Amino acid sequence: MNAIHTLEHPAEPFYQPQDNELALFEEAWRHGMPVLVKGPTGCGKTRFVQHMAHRLKLPLYTVACHDDLSAADLVGRHLIGAQGTWWQDGPLTRAVREGGICYLDEVVEARQDTAVVLHPLADDRRQLYLERTGEVLQAPPSFMLVVSYNPGYQNLLKGMKPSTRQRFVAMRFGYPAVADEERIVAREAGVEMALAAQVVRLGQALRRLDQHDLEEVASTRLLIFAARMIGSGMDPRQACLACLAEPLSDDPQTVAALMDVVDVHFG
């Protein structure tokens, strides 16, 4: 079963702006342009899209893309039951019909046939073709297509083709500046600024360990996890081991090296 989530006007998701991304997203939506958000794991891409959906008062359909995700998973399919055969819209079709946002997270993980479906929606046509039903849906002005991916994971076999990428307004996300990240960690973990600052300083130090060949550096998400655990009373070293060192590497020597840095900050 595909990971598909809908969101309709919950409490406003907290998001700390980094630059002009709020205004850029709104302008793209106003002009009917699709948006590509790229950046490392745990830097706030999904939270940003959730925040913008709330800000624009639009329903949000989020699809976690994977190797088996096909065009039919996005568009819909005929189902058979006791009452006969009926058509069930997929998340992309529902977003087009409702005039909401369809967000495809890690879009390069999806099968290549999905691009055929996305192209007419991502250019001036703004149309969705339902081959199985013969429908051609014209996207309303409020509809928006948003995709994201992590450029660090791209390779020759999995990457967004230029013909697809050039249909989008692109935004590059990185990890927040220190002061912003401290505010984010304090807010999201529910801890005092002093603890948030200490955890962020540790995160900054871990991100400088490029000599250990880490696939990913410590994300803001992991820093929030660690701060939340420490704030609830867990031993800081154990919290950092479980929330930072172990998620970053399976190699015992690398984990030990990461914990040496932890000991400098929480020893």
Side-chain angles (χ1 to χ4, degrees):
M1 187 173 183
N2 297 316
I4 300 170
H5 311 283
T6 61
L7 189 63
E8 294 186 7
H9 312 313
E12 181 177 5
F14 172 73
Y15 177 76
Q16 177 68 46
Q18 306 302 309
D19 197 358
N20 67 336
E21 65 269 29
L22 302 185
L24 181 57
F25 190 100
E26 284 196 18
E27 282 300 308
W29 172 73
R30 190 170 292 113
H31 290 286
M33 299 174 179
V35 165
L36 163 63
V37 182
K38 51 186 176 180
T41 298
C43 70
K45 299 187 298 292
T46 297
R47 176 60 64 88
F48 168 67
V49 177
Q50 292 173 342
H51 178 81
M52 294 308 301
H54 185 278
R55 184 184 179 101
L56 297 172
K57 296 181 171 57
L58 296 174
L60 172 63
Y61 288 86
T62 299
V63 182
C65 298
H66 52 80
D67 289 341
D68 293 326
L69 186 77
S70 67
D73 293 320
L74 294 178
V75 173
R77 52 170 50 90
H78 283 103
L79 301 178
I80 301 175
Q83 304 302 318
T85 302
W86 72 94
W87 172 262
Q88 183 176 71
D89 284 342
L92 180 61
T93 304
R94 294 200 294 270
V96 171
R97 291 192 196 277
E98 295 178 21
I101 295 175
C102 184
Y103 172 48
L104 307 183
D105 188 18
E106 295 297 342
V107 67
V108 295
E109 297 295 330
R111 283 167 37 176
Q112 288 297 325
D113 65 330
T114 58
V116 177
V117 174
L118 299 180
H119 279 187
L121 273 174
D123 59 27
D124 291 341
R125 289 171 288 179
R126 287 176 57 85
Q127 291 178 331
L128 177 62
Y129 297 95
L130 305 183
E131 184 178 350
R132 299 288 181 85
T133 66
E135 288 182 89
V136 179
L137 302 182
Q138 186 67 48
S142 60
F143 169 77
M144 188 176 200
L145 177 63
V146 183
V147 303
S148 74
Y149 68 86
N150 182 344
Y153 288 159
Q154 287 209 86
N155 56 46
L156 293 176
L157 297 178
K158 284 190 176 181
M160 183 174 281
K161 293 182 178 180
S163 60
T164 301
R165 191 168 56 242
Q166 291 189 30
R167 296 169 186 266
F168 290 82
V169 173
M171 303 181 186
R172 182 180 294 274
F173 278 46
Y175 295 118
V178 172
D180 288 336
E181 194 162 40
E182 289 174 358
R183 285 192 289 270
I184 292 169
V185 171
R187 168 70 180 266
E188 293 294 289
V191 298
E192 297 294 329
M193 281 295 295
L195 175 57
Q198 190 175 9
V199 171
V200 168
R201 285 195 297 272
L202 169 60
Q204 293 287 321
L206 292 175
R207 289 170 188 165
R208 291 193 288 268
L209 295 181
D210 52 3
Q211 73 272 21
H212 287 287
D213 196 27
L214 295 173
E215 290 186 7
E216 287 280 359
V217 298
S219 68
T220 303
R221 180 190 296 125
L222 290 183
L223 299 184
I224 292 168
F225 287 173
R228 191 174 292 158
M229 290 284 198
I230 297 170
S232 68
M234 178 176 281
D235 174 69
R237 195 175 193 279
Q238 290 301 312
C240 291
L241 175 64
C243 298
L244 291 170
E246 290 289 2
L248 289 175
S249 179
D250 292 327
D251 177 59
Q253 291 184 334
T254 300
V255 170
L258 296 175
M259 290 307 296
D260 287 342
V261 180
V262 171
D263 289 338
V264 170
H265 290 78
F266 282 97

